Amino acid sequence: MGTDLSIQAVSVDYTLKGRNFTALSQASIDVPAGTTVSLVGPSGCGKTTLLNVIGGFIRATSGHVLVGGIPVSGPGAERAMVFQADAVFPWLTVRQNLLYGPRIRKALDSAALARCDKYLELMGLAAFADEYPKVLSGGMRKRVDVARAYVNDSAIVLLDEPFGALDDFTKSYLQDELIHLSLVEPKTTVFVTHDIEEAIYVGDVVVVMATRPGRVAEHIEVPFPRDRVASIKDSDEFQQVRQRIQRLLRQELTSAMHREDGAA
């Protein structure tokens, strides 16, 4: 079922060429166990920065991230990251890629092998289990990335625009695969995307982020059951949510531009 994730007033400041910048300001989000939260917003709003703080790759300037009530102090096996770029190891077979995490953690037991077989089947990779990634399409390599996170049995899955580089058909297929996985084995998931429609479709909650400085602007509950199908995107209710998010982002961008003009 995953585990609770709590992001409490997280800020990230840095200095570049003698100037101070705020990448993220006072971001607070609670993600209940088994919930998928989509982060959507313009470039520079801190989406990836926040994901890296959760993953333990960046230390917050202030604030805390708690996983099951325990503060994050660095990377950990309970949090799996899936990036936009392919992260499969070309020198390992598909099966070996999926078993990489358990092997590194010295947990390559019968349970890990069974999980590997399970996700090879669930992700449609069983026929390619002993092939090397060079023979796979981009969409199939992305399935390997996602399956590896689940085989590693991480409680939290962090996805940074995982389908951003894929064609629309493959993206739609993998969105459905992700929803299917969330039903078969719910994980606490944070999904970063620029795509408003994707954010609504895969998420239980959409967190709209704003820029200059990067911050949380609004939380929007998605009013659809988890076992949704692609045809829901054509519904009036879905389009109303999309338009609401679009208006919020437009307002935030307009406000940011006015602030910049006033500071000039």
Side-chain angles (χ1 to χ4, degrees):
M1 266 303 287
T3 190
D4 291 338
L5 170 66
S6 182
I7 300 153
Q8 302 178 348
V10 166
S11 295
V12 176
D13 302 319
Y14 65 96
T15 302
L16 181 64
K17 296 182 178 179
R19 295 182 61 191
N20 296 324
F21 295 89
T22 298
L24 195 64
S25 178
Q26 296 288 304
S28 294
I29 306 169
D30 286 319
V31 189
T35 300
T36 297
V37 168
S38 297
L39 302 183
V40 64
S43 297
C45 70
K47 300 186 300 295
T48 297
T49 297
L50 179 55
L51 209 66
N52 279 307
V53 172
I54 299 168
F57 304 113
I58 293 176
R59 186 177 294 275
T61 306
S62 61
H64 304 280
V65 173
L66 305 178
V67 173
I70 300 171
V72 168
S73 58
E78 76 282 359
R79 285 157 287 140
M81 191 93 155
V82 179
F83 301 93
Q84 179 177 351
D86 285 340
V88 295
F89 300 120
W91 58 89
L92 299 178
T93 66
V94 169
R95 185 187 303 278
Q96 289 167 342
N97 264 282
L98 265 58
L99 291 171
Y100 179 79
R103 181 167 64 83
I104 291 298
R105 293 189 289 107
K106 301 188 186 304
L108 194 55
D109 54 16
S110 59
L113 295 173
R115 289 181 66 78
C116 181
D117 288 340
K118 172 183 175 179
Y119 285 100
L120 284 170
E121 289 290 341
L122 280 174
M123 297 299 283
L125 295 166
F128 300 88
D130 298 314
E131 300 286 353
Y132 288 90
K134 65 182 180 181
V135 307
L136 305 181
S137 66
M140 292 183 73
R141 288 195 297 273
K142 189 53 61 182
R143 277 188 265 167
V144 173
D145 273 344
V146 174
R148 184 167 54 190
Y150 276 77
V151 172
N152 198 45
D153 205 18
S154 303
I156 293 173
V157 179
L158 309 172
L159 301 109
D160 190 6
E161 298 189 61
F163 311 144
L166 302 174
D167 63 85
D168 288 343
F169 178 81
T170 304
K171 178 191 288 190
S172 179
Y173 178 82
L174 289 176
Q175 288 169 358
D176 286 337
E177 288 294 300
L178 192 64
I179 289 169
H180 177 62
L181 286 176
S182 75
L183 293 168
V184 172
E185 187 174 347
K187 298 282 189 184
T188 307
T189 304
V190 182
F191 187 99
V192 167
T193 180
H194 278 101
D195 186 331
I196 296 173
E197 188 174 272
E198 180 174 67
I200 301 166
Y201 187 56
V202 305
D204 299 304
V205 177
V206 177
V207 171
V208 180
M209 298 190 67
T211 189
R212 305 185 185 97
R215 66 196 187 283
V216 172
E218 191 155 344
H219 298 71
I220 297 174
E221 297 283 339
V222 176
F224 308 113
R226 172 108 306 265
D227 57 342
R228 58 197 67 163
V229 293
S231 59
I232 203 170
K233 298 176 185 178
D234 298 323
S235 70
D236 289 342
E237 194 171 16
F238 188 98
Q239 291 304 316
Q240 288 167 7
V241 177
R242 183 186 63 78
Q243 290 165 11
R244 179 185 173 190
I245 294 171
Q246 206 165 33
R247 284 194 299 270
L248 280 168
L249 290 172
R250 190 179 295 116
Q251 290 166 5
E252 289 295 338
L253 282 172
T254 300
S255 296
M257 291 173 67
H258 287 164
R259 288 195 298 273
E260 286 185 352
D261 289 342

